PDB file of all heavy atoms in Angstrom:
ATOM      1  N   ARG R   6      -2.329   4.874   2.285  1.00  0.00           N
ATOM      2  CA  ARG R   6      -2.421   4.778   3.820  1.00  0.00           C
ATOM      3  C   ARG R   6      -3.005   6.086   4.389  1.00  0.00           C
ATOM      4  O   ARG R   6      -3.796   6.100   5.279  1.00  0.00           O
ATOM      5  CB  ARG R   6      -1.027   4.589   4.383  1.00  0.00           C
ATOM      6  CG  ARG R   6      -0.593   3.102   4.263  1.00  0.00           C
ATOM      7  CD  ARG R   6       0.623   2.805   5.053  1.00  0.00           C
ATOM      8  NE  ARG R   6       1.758   3.539   4.934  1.00  0.00           N
ATOM      9  CZ  ARG R   6       2.696   3.421   3.857  1.00  0.00           C
ATOM     10  NH1 ARG R   6       2.610   2.296   3.150  1.00  0.00           N
ATOM     11  NH2 ARG R   6       3.725   4.205   3.701  1.00  0.00           N
ATOM     12  N   ARG R  10      -6.390   6.319   6.455  1.00  0.00           N
ATOM     13  CA  ARG R  10      -6.313   7.000   7.766  1.00  0.00           C
ATOM     14  C   ARG R  10      -7.270   8.213   7.887  1.00  0.00           C
ATOM     15  O   ARG R  10      -8.042   8.289   8.868  1.00  0.00           O
ATOM     16  CB  ARG R  10      -4.861   7.431   8.198  1.00  0.00           C
ATOM     17  CG  ARG R  10      -4.737   8.038   9.476  1.00  0.00           C
ATOM     18  CD  ARG R  10      -3.269   8.341   9.835  1.00  0.00           C
ATOM     19  NE  ARG R  10      -3.156   9.076  11.116  1.00  0.00           N
ATOM     20  CZ  ARG R  10      -2.506  10.075  11.331  1.00  0.00           C
ATOM     21  NH1 ARG R  10      -1.673  10.539  10.313  1.00  0.00           N
ATOM     22  NH2 ARG R  10      -2.519  10.668  12.421  1.00  0.00           N
ATOM     23  N   ASP R  33     -16.284  15.746   5.553  1.00  0.00           N
ATOM     24  CA  ASP R  33     -15.314  15.949   6.642  1.00  0.00           C
ATOM     25  C   ASP R  33     -15.888  16.264   7.903  1.00  0.00           C
ATOM     26  O   ASP R  33     -15.271  16.764   8.821  1.00  0.00           O
ATOM     27  CB  ASP R  33     -14.265  16.941   6.186  1.00  0.00           C
ATOM     28  CG  ASP R  33     -14.810  18.259   5.787  1.00  0.00           C
ATOM     29  OD1 ASP R  33     -16.045  18.381   5.723  1.00  0.00           O
ATOM     30  OD2 ASP R  33     -13.943  19.199   5.571  1.00  0.00           O
ATOM     31  N   ALA R  37     -24.611  21.586  12.293  1.00  0.00           N
ATOM     32  CA  ALA R  37     -25.699  21.119  13.336  1.00  0.00           C
ATOM     33  C   ALA R  37     -26.286  22.488  13.907  1.00  0.00           C
ATOM     34  O   ALA R  37     -25.834  23.562  13.686  1.00  0.00           O
ATOM     35  CB  ALA R  37     -25.000  20.327  14.432  1.00  0.00           C
ATOM     36  N   PHE R  39     -28.128  23.821  17.739  1.00  0.00           N
ATOM     37  CA  PHE R  39     -28.580  23.553  19.105  1.00  0.00           C
ATOM     38  C   PHE R  39     -29.051  24.831  19.748  1.00  0.00           C
ATOM     39  O   PHE R  39     -28.290  25.902  19.794  1.00  0.00           O
ATOM     40  CB  PHE R  39     -27.379  23.016  20.011  1.00  0.00           C
ATOM     41  CG  PHE R  39     -27.796  22.793  21.400  1.00  0.00           C
ATOM     42  CD1 PHE R  39     -28.502  21.580  21.689  1.00  0.00           C
ATOM     43  CD2 PHE R  39     -27.493  23.741  22.482  1.00  0.00           C
ATOM     44  CE1 PHE R  39     -28.854  21.269  23.038  1.00  0.00           C
ATOM     45  CE2 PHE R  39     -27.912  23.323  23.673  1.00  0.00           C
ATOM     46  CZ  PHE R  39     -28.628  22.252  24.007  1.00  0.00           C
ATOM     47  N   LEU R  42     -27.688  28.240  18.433  1.00  0.00           N
ATOM     48  CA  LEU R  42     -26.332  28.171  17.864  1.00  0.00           C
ATOM     49  C   LEU R  42     -26.447  27.372  16.546  1.00  0.00           C
ATOM     50  O   LEU R  42     -27.076  26.389  16.480  1.00  0.00           O
ATOM     51  CB  LEU R  42     -25.369  27.506  18.802  1.00  0.00           C
ATOM     52  CG  LEU R  42     -25.053  28.315  20.096  1.00  0.00           C
ATOM     53  CD1 LEU R  42     -24.048  27.385  20.901  1.00  0.00           C
ATOM     54  CD2 LEU R  42     -24.499  29.630  19.796  1.00  0.00           C
ATOM     55  N   ALA R  49      -9.682  18.205   9.539  1.00  0.00           N
ATOM     56  CA  ALA R  49      -9.006  18.438   8.333  1.00  0.00           C
ATOM     57  C   ALA R  49      -7.325  18.055   8.675  1.00  0.00           C
ATOM     58  O   ALA R  49      -6.959  18.282   9.821  1.00  0.00           O
ATOM     59  CB  ALA R  49      -8.984  19.813   7.848  1.00  0.00           C
ATOM     60  N   GLU R  51      -3.995  19.110   8.542  1.00  0.00           N
ATOM     61  CA  GLU R  51      -3.342  20.611   8.331  1.00  0.00           C
ATOM     62  C   GLU R  51      -1.862  20.471   7.980  1.00  0.00           C
ATOM     63  O   GLU R  51      -1.356  19.346   7.944  1.00  0.00           O
ATOM     64  CB  GLU R  51      -3.512  21.311   9.683  1.00  0.00           C
ATOM     65  CG  GLU R  51      -5.007  21.552   9.999  1.00  0.00           C
ATOM     66  CD  GLU R  51      -5.790  22.487   9.045  1.00  0.00           C
ATOM     67  OE1 GLU R  51      -5.081  23.135   8.248  1.00  0.00           O
ATOM     68  OE2 GLU R  51      -6.960  22.429   9.155  1.00  0.00           O
ATOM     69  N   HIS R  59     -12.163  21.396  13.805  1.00  0.00           N
ATOM     70  CA  HIS R  59     -12.513  22.820  13.684  1.00  0.00           C
ATOM     71  C   HIS R  59     -13.992  22.958  13.885  1.00  0.00           C
ATOM     72  O   HIS R  59     -14.774  22.340  13.331  1.00  0.00           O
ATOM     73  CB  HIS R  59     -12.058  23.398  12.326  1.00  0.00           C
ATOM     74  CG  HIS R  59     -12.509  24.723  12.056  1.00  0.00           C
ATOM     75  ND1 HIS R  59     -13.225  25.070  10.879  1.00  0.00           N
ATOM     76  CD2 HIS R  59     -12.390  25.873  12.750  1.00  0.00           C
ATOM     77  CE1 HIS R  59     -13.472  26.287  10.874  1.00  0.00           C
ATOM     78  NE2 HIS R  59     -13.080  26.794  11.984  1.00  0.00           N
ATOM     79  N   ARG R  67     -27.490  36.463  14.581  1.00  0.00           N
ATOM     80  CA  ARG R  67     -26.314  37.140  13.797  1.00  0.00           C
ATOM     81  C   ARG R  67     -25.352  37.859  14.731  1.00  0.00           C
ATOM     82  O   ARG R  67     -24.617  38.642  14.254  1.00  0.00           O
ATOM     83  CB  ARG R  67     -26.715  37.946  12.617  1.00  0.00           C
ATOM     84  CG  ARG R  67     -27.443  36.968  11.593  1.00  0.00           C
ATOM     85  CD  ARG R  67     -27.728  37.803  10.296  1.00  0.00           C
ATOM     86  NE  ARG R  67     -28.269  36.983   9.313  1.00  0.00           N
ATOM     87  CZ  ARG R  67     -27.453  36.292   8.318  1.00  0.00           C
ATOM     88  NH1 ARG R  67     -26.286  36.397   8.389  1.00  0.00           N
ATOM     89  NH2 ARG R  67     -28.115  35.547   7.425  1.00  0.00           N
ATOM     90  N   PRO R  70     -20.976  35.360  18.759  1.00  0.00           N
ATOM     91  CA  PRO R  70     -21.102  34.424  19.802  1.00  0.00           C
ATOM     92  C   PRO R  70     -20.351  34.733  21.117  1.00  0.00           C
ATOM     93  O   PRO R  70     -19.205  35.277  20.982  1.00  0.00           O
ATOM     94  CB  PRO R  70     -20.445  33.055  19.272  1.00  0.00           C
ATOM     95  CG  PRO R  70     -20.520  33.274  17.691  1.00  0.00           C
ATOM     96  CD  PRO R  70     -20.412  34.818  17.535  1.00  0.00           C
ATOM     97  N   LYS R  86     -13.713  16.663  28.066  1.00  0.00           N
ATOM     98  CA  LYS R  86     -12.351  16.185  28.338  1.00  0.00           C
ATOM     99  C   LYS R  86     -11.340  16.624  27.320  1.00  0.00           C
ATOM    100  O   LYS R  86     -10.214  16.390  27.487  1.00  0.00           O
ATOM    101  CB  LYS R  86     -12.387  14.701  28.360  1.00  0.00           C
ATOM    102  CG  LYS R  86     -13.279  14.176  29.540  1.00  0.00           C
ATOM    103  CD  LYS R  86     -13.184  12.689  29.732  1.00  0.00           C
ATOM    104  CE  LYS R  86     -13.975  12.296  30.860  1.00  0.00           C
ATOM    105  NZ  LYS R  86     -14.129  10.785  30.984  1.00  0.00           N
ATOM    106  N   ARG R  87     -11.752  17.378  26.168  1.00  0.00           N
ATOM    107  CA  ARG R  87     -10.764  17.772  25.208  1.00  0.00           C
ATOM    108  C   ARG R  87     -10.548  19.258  25.390  1.00  0.00           C
ATOM    109  O   ARG R  87     -11.512  19.982  25.665  1.00  0.00           O
ATOM    110  CB  ARG R  87     -11.254  17.541  23.857  1.00  0.00           C
ATOM    111  CG  ARG R  87     -11.286  16.114  23.552  1.00  0.00           C
ATOM    112  CD  ARG R  87     -11.291  15.551  22.200  1.00  0.00           C
ATOM    113  NE  ARG R  87     -10.446  16.295  21.251  1.00  0.00           N
ATOM    114  CZ  ARG R  87     -10.822  16.295  19.905  1.00  0.00           C
ATOM    115  NH1 ARG R  87     -11.850  15.600  19.484  1.00  0.00           N
ATOM    116  NH2 ARG R  87      -9.931  16.990  19.060  1.00  0.00           N
ATOM    117  N   LYS R  95      -2.313  37.528  13.647  1.00  0.00           N
ATOM    118  CA  LYS R  95      -1.727  38.891  13.406  1.00  0.00           C
ATOM    119  C   LYS R  95      -2.696  39.607  12.452  1.00  0.00           C
ATOM    120  O   LYS R  95      -3.239  39.112  11.570  1.00  0.00           O
ATOM    121  CB  LYS R  95      -0.445  38.760  12.825  1.00  0.00           C
ATOM    122  CG  LYS R  95       0.668  38.052  13.707  1.00  0.00           C
ATOM    123  CD  LYS R  95       2.045  38.140  13.023  1.00  0.00           C
ATOM    124  CE  LYS R  95       2.093  37.107  11.941  1.00  0.00           C
ATOM    125  NZ  LYS R  95       3.484  36.971  11.341  1.00  0.00           N
ATOM    126  N   ALA R  96      -2.726  40.909  12.605  1.00  0.00           N
ATOM    127  CA  ALA R  96      -3.620  41.724  11.663  1.00  0.00           C
ATOM    128  C   ALA R  96      -3.245  41.539  10.228  1.00  0.00           C
ATOM    129  O   ALA R  96      -4.215  41.443   9.442  1.00  0.00           O
ATOM    130  CB  ALA R  96      -3.422  43.195  12.142  1.00  0.00           C
ATOM    131  N   SER R  97      -2.031  41.261   9.934  1.00  0.00           N
ATOM    132  CA  SER R  97      -1.619  41.112   8.497  1.00  0.00           C
ATOM    133  C   SER R  97      -2.154  39.725   7.999  1.00  0.00           C
ATOM    134  O   SER R  97      -2.171  39.631   6.758  1.00  0.00           O
ATOM    135  CB  SER R  97      -0.124  41.222   8.427  1.00  0.00           C
ATOM    136  OG  SER R  97       0.488  40.135   9.135  1.00  0.00           O
ATOM    137  N   HIS R  99      -5.159  38.195   9.057  1.00  0.00           N
ATOM    138  CA  HIS R  99      -6.590  38.173   9.372  1.00  0.00           C
ATOM    139  C   HIS R  99      -7.252  38.135   8.067  1.00  0.00           C
ATOM    140  O   HIS R  99      -7.052  38.992   7.161  1.00  0.00           O
ATOM    141  CB  HIS R  99      -7.059  39.213  10.303  1.00  0.00           C
ATOM    142  CG  HIS R  99      -8.483  39.167  10.595  1.00  0.00           C
ATOM    143  ND1 HIS R  99      -9.460  39.809   9.983  1.00  0.00           N
ATOM    144  CD2 HIS R  99      -9.069  38.376  11.510  1.00  0.00           C
ATOM    145  CE1 HIS R  99     -10.664  39.440  10.503  1.00  0.00           C
ATOM    146  NE2 HIS R  99     -10.457  38.552  11.486  1.00  0.00           N
ATOM    147  N   ASP R 101     -11.270  38.040   6.546  1.00  0.00           N
ATOM    148  CA  ASP R 101     -12.687  38.098   6.941  1.00  0.00           C
ATOM    149  C   ASP R 101     -13.509  38.054   5.630  1.00  0.00           C
ATOM    150  O   ASP R 101     -13.731  38.932   5.002  1.00  0.00           O
ATOM    151  CB  ASP R 101     -12.890  39.552   7.483  1.00  0.00           C
ATOM    152  CG  ASP R 101     -14.327  39.679   7.906  1.00  0.00           C
ATOM    153  OD1 ASP R 101     -15.169  38.861   7.864  1.00  0.00           O
ATOM    154  OD2 ASP R 101     -14.615  40.872   8.310  1.00  0.00           O
ATOM    155  N   ILE R 102     -13.830  36.772   5.345  1.00  0.00           N
ATOM    156  CA  ILE R 102     -14.656  36.496   4.195  1.00  0.00           C
ATOM    157  C   ILE R 102     -16.030  36.950   4.197  1.00  0.00           C
ATOM    158  O   ILE R 102     -16.767  37.207   3.160  1.00  0.00           O
ATOM    159  CB  ILE R 102     -14.601  35.026   3.705  1.00  0.00           C
ATOM    160  CG1 ILE R 102     -15.322  34.208   4.785  1.00  0.00           C
ATOM    161  CG2 ILE R 102     -13.225  34.592   3.460  1.00  0.00           C
ATOM    162  CD1 ILE R 102     -15.410  32.743   4.397  1.00  0.00           C
ATOM    163  N   VAL R 112     -18.984  35.102  13.386  1.00  0.00           N
ATOM    164  CA  VAL R 112     -18.578  33.653  13.631  1.00  0.00           C
ATOM    165  C   VAL R 112     -17.251  33.661  14.457  1.00  0.00           C
ATOM    166  O   VAL R 112     -16.422  34.449  14.268  1.00  0.00           O
ATOM    167  CB  VAL R 112     -18.338  32.923  12.216  1.00  0.00           C
ATOM    168  CG1 VAL R 112     -17.840  31.566  12.457  1.00  0.00           C
ATOM    169  CG2 VAL R 112     -19.517  33.030  11.416  1.00  0.00           C
ATOM    170  N   ARG R 113     -17.241  32.686  15.285  1.00  0.00           N
ATOM    171  CA  ARG R 113     -15.886  32.434  16.176  1.00  0.00           C
ATOM    172  C   ARG R 113     -15.578  30.959  15.828  1.00  0.00           C
ATOM    173  O   ARG R 113     -16.423  30.184  15.475  1.00  0.00           O
ATOM    174  CB  ARG R 113     -16.179  32.668  17.546  1.00  0.00           C
ATOM    175  CG  ARG R 113     -16.367  34.216  17.806  1.00  0.00           C
ATOM    176  CD  ARG R 113     -16.683  34.502  19.294  1.00  0.00           C
ATOM    177  NE  ARG R 113     -15.492  34.426  20.135  1.00  0.00           N
ATOM    178  CZ  ARG R 113     -15.454  34.727  21.405  1.00  0.00           C
ATOM    179  NH1 ARG R 113     -16.505  35.032  21.974  1.00  0.00           N
ATOM    180  NH2 ARG R 113     -14.343  34.689  22.126  1.00  0.00           N
ATOM    181  N   LYS R 119      -6.272  16.031  18.876  1.00  0.00           N
ATOM    182  CA  LYS R 119      -6.027  14.791  19.777  1.00  0.00           C
ATOM    183  C   LYS R 119      -4.672  14.470  19.963  1.00  0.00           C
ATOM    184  O   LYS R 119      -4.219  14.024  21.097  1.00  0.00           O
ATOM    185  CB  LYS R 119      -6.931  13.677  19.316  1.00  0.00           C
ATOM    186  CG  LYS R 119      -8.421  13.903  19.398  1.00  0.00           C
ATOM    187  CD  LYS R 119      -9.080  12.622  18.916  1.00  0.00           C
ATOM    188  CE  LYS R 119     -10.531  12.859  18.924  1.00  0.00           C
ATOM    189  NZ  LYS R 119     -11.294  11.570  18.446  1.00  0.00           N
ATOM    190  N   LYS R 120      -3.812  14.559  18.881  1.00  0.00           N
ATOM    191  CA  LYS R 120      -2.503  14.019  18.906  1.00  0.00           C
ATOM    192  C   LYS R 120      -1.427  15.111  19.430  1.00  0.00           C
ATOM    193  O   LYS R 120      -0.262  14.750  19.553  1.00  0.00           O
ATOM    194  CB  LYS R 120      -2.058  13.574  17.538  1.00  0.00           C
ATOM    195  CG  LYS R 120      -2.825  12.563  17.019  1.00  0.00           C
ATOM    196  CD  LYS R 120      -2.651  11.200  17.703  1.00  0.00           C
ATOM    197  CE  LYS R 120      -3.442  10.085  17.034  1.00  0.00           C
ATOM    198  NZ  LYS R 120      -3.265   8.883  17.723  1.00  0.00           N
ATOM    199  N   MET R 121      -1.869  16.258  19.730  1.00  0.00           N
ATOM    200  CA  MET R 121      -1.044  17.308  20.269  1.00  0.00           C
ATOM    201  C   MET R 121      -1.594  18.085  21.415  1.00  0.00           C
ATOM    202  O   MET R 121      -2.421  18.903  21.269  1.00  0.00           O
ATOM    203  CB  MET R 121      -0.655  18.236  19.110  1.00  0.00           C
ATOM    204  CG  MET R 121       0.501  19.218  19.543  1.00  0.00           C
ATOM    205  SD  MET R 121       1.004  20.364  18.293  1.00  0.00           S
ATOM    206  CE  MET R 121      -0.260  21.560  18.372  1.00  0.00           C
TER     207      MET R 121
END
Side-chain angles (χ1 to χ4, degrees):
R6 283 193 302 275
R10 181 175 175 222
D33 56 353
F39 182 78
L42 297 178
E51 299 295 344
H59 172 229
R67 295 187 175 272
K86 295 183 180 179
R87 293 204 34 208
K95 297 184 282 186
S97 63
H99 185 260
D101 181 7
I102 60 173
V112 181
R113 292 174 78 178
K119 290 182 185 178
K120 298 291 184 184
M121 187 177 82

